[in-house]
Amino acid sequence: MQTKDQGNKNLGRLVSSEAYFSTERNAKFSAVLTAVPTKIFITAEDSADVQNPGSVTVLITESF
């Protein structure tokens, strides 16, 4: 997540699951925010505890 006052914040990892006989993939993510986000992005990382996002962006929102 990107915030105006606090820069980039790591909100944790995305937990995904796949139904056994399905091509659909589902994911769930929840977080309690202490700052107002200006943009949300998902990156591919080797570790869940990184502080700064890597170079592989999977999804990014428009600024809001």
Side-chain angles (χ1 to χ4, degrees), residues 6-33:
Q6 298 177 0
N8 295 334
K9 302 288 284 180
N10 182 349
L11 298 178
R13 67 179 209 177
L14 192 64
V15 177
S16 67
S17 64
E18 185 176 348
Y20 196 58
F21 290 108
S22 174
T23 58
E24 287 186 30
R25 298 202 91 157
N26 298 308
K28 180 168 68 170
F29 183 82
S30 63
V32 176
L33 306 177

Side-chain angles (χ1 to χ4, degrees), residues 10 12-13 41-58:
N10 182 349
R13 67 179 209 177
F41 51 91
I42 297 172
T43 58
E45 306 294 344
D46 292 329
S47 175
D49 60 352
V50 296
Q51 295 304 311
N52 294 305
S55 61
V56 180
T57 302
V58 177

